[in-house]
Amino acid sequence: MPAVTVENPLTLPRVAAPAEARQRPVLAVTTAPSGFEGEGFPVRRAFAGIDYKHLDPFIMMDQMGEVEYAPGEPKGTPWHPHRGFETVTYIIDGIFDHQDSQGGGGTITNGDTQWMTAGSGLLHIEAPPESLVMSGGLFHGLQLWVNLPAKDKMMAPRYQDIRGGSVQLLTTPDGGALLRVIAGELDGHQGPGITHTPITMIHATLAPGAEITLPWREDFNGLAYVLAGRGTVGTERRPVQVGQTAVFGDGGALTVRADEKQDSHTPELEVVLLGGAPIREPMAHYGPFVMNTRKELQQAFEDFQKGRLGTIPAVHGMSEGGL
């Protein structure tokens, strides 16, 4: 059960696409392969196999968990560099500490989002706190990478800590869905995340049998990733289930529907909806760096190796249990 919820969605503002809006067709449904990240926490690679022209300005997204850790099992990532893009870490259930080489950082938990603009570059670490390592527990989240246009790639790094209580909550006309607007805008309702590249990021929970048809900016792309449950996408009702991404074509509205019957351990359909204005610039991506040219990538590696992206603090505030 996602941490940010409401008892009665009908108390919230309601959103629906206008009747004349042109529905976006479903171009493809892909299945995310599973793997491991950092020091061994399980992930699904949500965008694997999708042509970048359908993803731009998004680069990659990992679903972290959902996993119930035993005591001593929780893992994080070691110190690592970033340059040229933004990381968006959304914790649905659980807790994560983060810290960088410039002294920034903090703790995000149930429903919080940590938005890090790497810009010109820094070193970064993410790990569960010692208390979670000791106790074990549920962990479930997402990390999304959002590209920066060339003019912003070398901007000064910055953080936004978006608390779960600050997201914009909306519903559909029948109250069958809870829409959490983390960033961007939906039908005039603004999420708290401040973005350099215009995007919309929504976490939607649909009750069994519920359907959402949302207005969607025609200049944005459209993606739907299933975190849990089963349903269909588009007016053609293409089946989707946990770990699958639907790629939408052009139009002014998109539709997602939850199946009438869900599994007992996932009683509702959980979907992340993403849209953004394509940057349409050359992209050179290797490991933790996303630049425009191979030469810029080489410079990023050289800067990292020479310590220009910062150094790991001799004493830092992260729990050693997560390293």
Side-chain angles (χ1 to χ4, degrees):
M1 171 69 72
V4 178
T5 188
V6 294
E7 194 167 316
N8 181 10
L10 288 172
T11 61
L12 301 172
R14 304 180 197 188
V15 175
E20 67 274 14
R22 183 166 58 101
Q23 279 283 340
R24 288 178 173 245
V26 178
L27 302 181
V29 173
T30 63
T31 300
S34 297
F36 293 92
E37 186 56 76
E39 299 194 337
F41 60 86
V43 298
R44 285 188 173 104
R45 309 287 191 192
F47 296 161
I50 300 175
D51 192 313
Y52 182 65
K53 70 182 180 183
H54 298 308
L55 296 177
D56 186 13
F58 307 111
I59 301 163
M60 58 162 279
M61 186 168 72
D62 285 345
Q63 180 181 6
M64 306 179 291
E66 179 176 6
V67 59
E68 185 78 39
Y69 283 119
E73 284 188 342
K75 298 176 176 68
T77 64
W79 284 93
H80 56 283
H82 286 310
R83 172 180 279 180
F85 65 103
E86 300 183 286
T87 65
V88 182
T89 306
Y90 173 47
I91 301 300
I92 301 167
D93 290 294
I95 186 169
F96 232 26
D97 287 340
H98 58 96
Q99 186 182 3
D100 70 29
S101 52
Q102 297 191 355
T107 298
I108 49 175
T109 186
N110 303 334
D112 295 342
T113 301
Q114 178 248 313
W115 201 296
M116 184 183 77
T117 303
S120 60
L122 43 63
L123 305 183
H124 179 64
I125 186 172
E126 297 160 305
E130 186 175 3
S131 59
L132 181 62
V133 176
M134 297 291 287
S135 66
L138 181 64
F139 183 80
H140 189 199
L142 283 177
Q143 187 169 94
L144 171 70
W145 288 15
V146 185
N147 202 4
L148 287 169
K151 66 182 179 62
D152 293 329
K153 283 195 178 293
M154 296 300 286
M155 67 177 292
R158 75 167 187 186
Y159 277 112
Q160 299 173 68
D161 279 323
I162 302 169
R163 297 302 162 187
S166 70
V167 301
Q168 175 69 62
L169 301 180
L170 306 169
T171 191
T172 46
D174 63 359
L178 175 60
L179 308 171
R180 307 167 188 84
V181 184
I182 298 167
E185 176 265 343
L186 181 63
D187 196 31
H189 301 278
Q190 193 73 34
I194 300 169
T195 68
H196 292 281
T197 302
I199 73 165
T200 295
M201 180 179 183
I202 297 167
H203 175 193
T205 299
L206 285 71
E211 182 176 283
I212 57 174
T213 298
L214 304 179
W216 210 252
R217 279 181 52 168
E218 297 221 12
D219 58 333
F220 277 19
N221 58 0
L223 303 161
Y225 177 73
V226 181
L227 292 164
R230 294 192 308 270
T232 62
V233 287
T235 54
E236 59 268 53
R237 295 198 173 183
R238 288 276 296 272
V240 289
Q241 62 183 354
V242 60
Q244 292 188 318
T245 301
V247 179
F248 290 92
D250 295 337
L254 55 79
T255 295
V256 178
R257 188 179 190 279
D259 283 357
E260 297 280 355
K261 292 187 178 180
Q262 301 288 335
D263 297 333
S264 59
H265 63 283
T266 54
E268 297 173 305
L269 176 65
E270 304 284 348
V271 181
V272 172
L273 302 172
L274 295 168
I279 296 173
R280 295 192 178 97
E281 293 178 350
M283 184 179 72
H285 172 204
Y286 190 85
F289 304 123
V290 183
M291 305 304 292
N292 292 104
T293 67
R294 182 176 178 84
K295 183 178 179 181
E296 290 171 345
L297 272 185
Q298 292 170 335
Q299 185 64 55
F301 274 102
E302 179 183 326
D303 289 347
F304 167 55
Q305 290 164 350
K306 293 188 175 180
R308 296 174 187 147
L309 302 189
T311 56
I312 299 171
V315 177
H316 58 82
M318 301 293 293
S319 158
E320 292 297 322
L323 305 182

